[in-house]
Amino acid sequence: MVSPTYYLDPLSTLSMKIITCIEELRDQLRGQLRTAFVPTMGNLHEGHLSLIRLAKRHGDPVVASIFVNRLQFGPNEDFDKYPRTFEADVAKLEKEGVYVLFAPTEKDLYPEPQEFRIQPPDSLGNMLEGEFRPGFFVGVSTVVLKLFSCVQPRVAVFGKKDYQQLMVIRNMSKQLALPTEIIAAETFRSDDGLALSSRNMYLSEQERAEAPALFKELNQIASAIRSGHLNIAELEKAAMAELTRRNWKPDYISIRKQANLQAPSADDLAQQSPLVVVAAAKLGTTRLIDNLEI
């Protein structure tokens, strides 16, 4: 069994415990009934830290995890290149007062091949992100369920930036009767509107200046719908065309119902059902996702 490492905060008498072993994590958290959990893949930014702060309002102690989950990466995606900044992440989590950082290796979390997988329903898992990243939500659901089993939190916090992921996790928790409440955190944005993401670091200076255009398109769609423009297909097509004109490569810009991410019917639009516009597009080699509730 690996012993935890302690990182002392000179401004505090407390310390954050870094644990890699599942059994040791369970021992450390035994008897805790109000644990709040924030799972991450590391390379932490202010968006992640806002999740930690929200978690502190809903539970105690706060546990964070850092694990780059191979199961959710496709064969042509950036698993090996995904930025790993562990020491900087530790310093940020320590400053936020996190009690335990669970940082397992692949061998710790997957000591044998993970042949049991969680399969989201096709109606949610195989559209939008699921269409363009086959198997992504199987990998996400499987690792989240396993992390929940390890941490056994009362609440867990996920960001709305990954809107479909949030819905997958929320529905999984409900249907499997997990004793974990899923808390949604608002998307954390830069002053120019760009949603914070670990992948933003891949953007060149010129691309970073262009990146807020994605959110601007979502806002234009939202404004049009609020003004009574209900030709959904026309709005989606126009936004895709504008991004393409600006040298983006959009995968989708789609207006959906907040309740289930299905396309709204004429009745839904007439009844002003809550909507969300979701989008994914490549800028250079960097794929960005975003959404806006309407």
Side-chain angles (χ1 to χ4, degrees), residues 25-26 29 32 35-37 63-65 102 146-154:
L25 177 72
R26 288 174 173 162
L29 297 176
Q32 299 285 359
T35 300
F37 180 43
V63 176
S65 66
F102 182 43
K146 194 157 192 178
L147 289 169
F148 281 3
S149 176
C150 297
V151 178
Q152 299 179 25
R154 187 185 70 84

Side-chain angles (χ1 to χ4, degrees), residues 88-152:
D89 294 344
V90 165
K92 292 173 182 177
L93 294 175
E94 178 94 47
K95 187 175 181 181
E96 294 296 330
V98 169
Y99 176 60
V100 168
L101 169 59
F102 182 43
T105 65
E106 286 192 283
K107 188 175 181 180
D108 289 314
L109 202 60
Y110 301 132
E112 56 187 69
Q114 188 66 40
E115 296 173 340
F116 285 87
R117 307 283 180 98
I118 300 298
Q119 177 72 56
D122 290 346
S123 60
L124 181 58
N126 287 348
M127 62 175 178
L128 301 172
E129 283 297 282
E131 177 183 350
F132 287 90
R133 301 183 67 187
F136 173 70
F137 289 117
V138 172
V140 167
S141 301
T142 301
V143 75
V144 168
L145 182 60
K146 194 157 192 178
L147 289 169
F148 281 3
S149 176
C150 297
V151 178
Q152 299 179 25

Side-chain angles (χ1 to χ4, degrees), residues 28-294:
Q28 184 68 43
L29 297 176
R30 198 175 308 280
Q32 299 285 359
L33 302 178
R34 298 184 61 249
T35 300
F37 180 43
V38 180
T40 83
M41 293 205 301
N43 192 33
L44 303 183
H45 49 65
E46 277 297 314
H48 295 107
L49 301 184
S50 71
L51 305 185
I52 297 292
R53 293 162 195 154
L54 182 58
K56 291 171 73 172
R57 288 162 41 193
H58 288 273
D60 180 56
V62 173
V63 176
S65 66
I66 293 177
F67 181 71
V68 183
N69 178 41
R70 188 185 298 270
L71 295 186
Q72 68 194 64
F73 286 79
N76 297 316
E77 294 184 335
D78 56 354
F79 174 80
D80 292 324
K81 295 190 301 179
Y82 193 85
R84 292 159 171 85
T85 55
F86 188 74
E87 291 185 6
D89 294 344
V90 165
K92 292 173 182 177
L93 294 175
E94 178 94 47
K95 187 175 181 181
E96 294 296 330
V98 169
Y99 176 60
V100 168
L101 169 59
F102 182 43
T105 65
E106 286 192 283
K107 188 175 181 180
D108 289 314
L109 202 60
Y110 301 132
E112 56 187 69
Q114 188 66 40
E115 296 173 340
F116 285 87
R117 307 283 180 98
I118 300 298
Q119 177 72 56
D122 290 346
S123 60
L124 181 58
N126 287 348
M127 62 175 178
L128 301 172
E129 283 297 282
E131 177 183 350
F132 287 90
R133 301 183 67 187
F136 173 70
F137 289 117
V138 172
V140 167
S141 301
T142 301
V143 75
V144 168
L145 182 60
K146 194 157 192 178
L147 289 169
F148 281 3
S149 176
C150 297
V151 178
Q152 299 179 25
R154 187 185 70 84
V155 300
V157 180
F158 291 82
K160 283 187 179 181
K161 185 182 80 70
D162 299 287
Y163 204 90
Q164 189 175 1
Q165 173 179 281
L166 171 64
M167 185 165 289
V168 167
I169 297 305
R170 182 173 275 161
N171 287 1
M172 177 186 76
S173 297
K174 179 181 178 181
Q175 290 194 16
L176 296 181
L178 302 181
T180 301
E181 179 186 358
I182 306 302
I183 305 293
E186 297 297 329
T187 301
F188 197 97
R189 299 184 181 276
S190 299
D191 290 342
D192 59 7
L194 177 64
L196 265 60
S197 168
S198 296
R199 289 187 169 90
N200 290 353
M201 65 178 295
Y202 297 146
L203 297 169
S204 68
E205 184 176 350
Q206 182 178 1
E207 289 167 347
R208 176 60 186 82
E210 167 63 21
L214 181 60
F215 189 50
K216 290 179 182 177
E217 287 301 314
L218 303 188
N219 274 289
Q220 289 184 9
I221 289 175
S223 295
I225 290 176
R226 293 184 186 118
S227 299
H229 192 313
L230 299 182
N231 189 327
I232 298 301
E234 183 178 273
L235 292 173
E236 294 171 344
K237 183 178 179 181
M240 294 273 284
E242 175 60 16
L243 285 183
T244 301
R245 186 188 69 80
R246 299 177 69 106
N247 294 320
W248 292 68
K249 296 179 181 177
D251 285 340
Y252 60 83
I253 297 179
S254 188
I255 299 160
R256 301 295 177 109
K257 293 190 291 184
Q258 289 183 26
N260 54 17
L261 284 185
Q262 298 300 305
S265 66
D267 286 343
D268 293 324
L269 297 174
Q271 296 169 11
Q272 297 184 330
S273 297
L275 304 176
V276 60
V277 54
V278 291
K282 275 190 175 181
L283 182 57
T285 60
T286 305
R287 188 173 184 272
L288 302 178
I289 66 170
D290 206 346
N291 66 81
L292 182 62
E293 292 179 326
I294 306 171

